[in-house]
Amino acid sequence: MASNLPIPLPPRTPTPPPDDPPSAPNNSSRLDAQDKDSLSPLVDSFPLQRGSLNAEDPNRLSPTRASFALSPSDNVPQNGQGDNGSAGPFNFKTTTMAKSPVVKSNIGQRRGHKYKHSSISHQIFLEPPPRAPLALPNSLPIPTFKECRASMSKDQKTRFWWSVCHMFVAAYTLWSAHGSLAMTALSHLILFDSLGALLCVSVDVLSNFEVWKRSSVRHPFGLERAEVLAGFAMCVLLLFMGMDLISHNLQHFLESSGHEPHHSHAHERVSVGSVDVTALLAISSTLISAIGLKNHGRIGKAMRFGYIESLPSVLSNPSHFLTLSCSTLLLLLPLVSVRLYNWLDVLLSSTISICMCVLGVRLVKTLGSMLLMSYSGPGVKDVIRDIEADPCVFGVDDARFWQVHYGLCMANLKLRVSGSEENLIRLRERISSLIRNRLGGGYGSGGQRWEVSLQFTIEKS
């Protein structure tokens, strides 16, 4: 049964029309109006001669008939009227599309409406006002070691080589200690002083460049805070050296109590009645660095000891006072007996090591608070008390005192005041002068420079 069924024909694939249609034959005869294919769009009966049109045909102007499209040879006027006064409503002309891609003539031009240049946008989109350039640069170049060496003056080179010589003095003091604990402690103090002298020379050389003091966005206070960081590292080193001396003294005490020493400590001393050259060398180098280079000068101003503040300028610095006093006592030790020398040597070494620890802790606390942008000096409570006692001041809402580096401090106060404008101007000047004189030591004293900013809230009386 399945073999008797007819095989269906496959569907016919439609043939696409040619690109160039064949020209219509010149048929001058009129189509038969009764032809069933006269209105078919597949029959090439559209182009007809004008003479073949029937003027009385009611469907002559119908767009559904093939007689609607006239031949191009019929010179139909564009105004839509022929010779006999009748013409079609449209006048179509055959147009051949190009096969090549269309090339745009406006390539690269901006599309859309340009709002900025329109008449309406002048009232909506206004040009921003010109802004003045920033007073602070984004960053300033940091000098290299080669640039620093090229910018050094003759005086700076002399001071640099002296700081190097000061380090050699510290090394010689340690080498010539001969097992003396007091001389070992003195060598640690001289090393701390030599590092301070080298830091002062480095600061002096860096001040030749603009980046050291000028503010920028990256470094708002310049590079002067780097000196505070270096001083903080030196103070931590001083603290550790003091602790090392304390452990060395404890080890010596245990050895003298009967325990077997791990290393021999033969305490040799200078002969009786002679002068200790090492102690004289330590005194002279300390004085030259203190007077010529003014090492630890900024640290001495930032940290005041009330017991030695009334002494001369060199001795008022706790680091210089400790080094000079230790060197002077070592000059007097050869005048005593051998037995007393051993006890005084241990006592002097223990005293110096404890003083080094106390001084290191005090310096670490002071410089650490400076790195944290706070002020640890005395006199703040007295200043606030005097400000509140002014008759124009109702109260102090906020008071911030902080120190940026050794030479710059800042005070920010917010007050509730009342009075006329002249009285407020006098009050502003009085508070600024009070802070500078009480906390900074006044102008010309070489103390810290204070920048005071005040904010007044006017109270209605």
Side-chain angles (χ1 to χ4, degrees), residues 413-426:
L413 292 90
K414 185 178 180 181
L415 310 176
R416 289 180 287 106
V417 297
S418 66
S420 61
E421 185 176 356
E422 296 180 356
N423 292 335
L424 295 182
I425 293 176
R426 294 193 188 96

Side-chain angles (χ1 to χ4, degrees), residues 96-125:
T96 303
M97 301 298 294
K99 296 182 179 180
S100 61
V102 179
V103 180
K104 297 182 180 180
S105 61
N106 59 346
I107 295 178
Q109 297 181 1
R110 180 181 176 183
R111 294 184 178 182
H113 184 68
K114 297 182 179 180
Y115 293 99
K116 181 179 179 182
H117 301 286
S118 63
S119 59
I120 300 178
S121 64
H122 284 298
Q123 303 175 3
I124 302 176
F125 301 95

Side-chain angles (χ1 to χ4, degrees), residues 387-395 415-420 423-424 426-427 457 459:
I387 293 175
E388 291 176 343
D390 193 278
C392 297
V393 178
F394 279 93
L415 310 176
R416 289 180 287 106
V417 297
S418 66
S420 61
N423 292 335
L424 295 182
R426 294 193 188 96
L427 178 63
T457 302
E459 296 285 343

Side-chain angles (χ1 to χ4, degrees), residues 231-287:
F232 181 81
M234 288 174 49
C235 298
V236 172
L237 178 62
L238 179 66
L239 177 61
F240 277 100
M241 288 190 299
M243 296 175 64
D244 178 69
L245 288 175
I246 292 177
S247 65
H248 200 67
N249 291 329
L250 291 177
Q251 182 181 0
H252 175 74
F253 175 75
L254 293 176
E255 291 174 0
S256 62
S257 300
H259 294 80
E260 182 179 357
H262 296 281
H263 303 282
S264 59
H265 292 277
H267 294 278
E268 301 178 3
R269 61 184 296 273
V270 182
S271 59
V272 179
S274 62
V275 178
D276 195 346
V277 181
T278 307
L280 283 178
L281 192 61
I283 292 175
S284 59
S285 61
T286 303
L287 290 176

Side-chain angles (χ1 to χ4, degrees), residues 178-192:
H178 299 298
S180 175
L181 296 177
M183 191 65 70
T184 304
L186 180 61
S187 65
H188 287 66
L189 290 176
I190 297 176
L191 177 62
F192 179 71

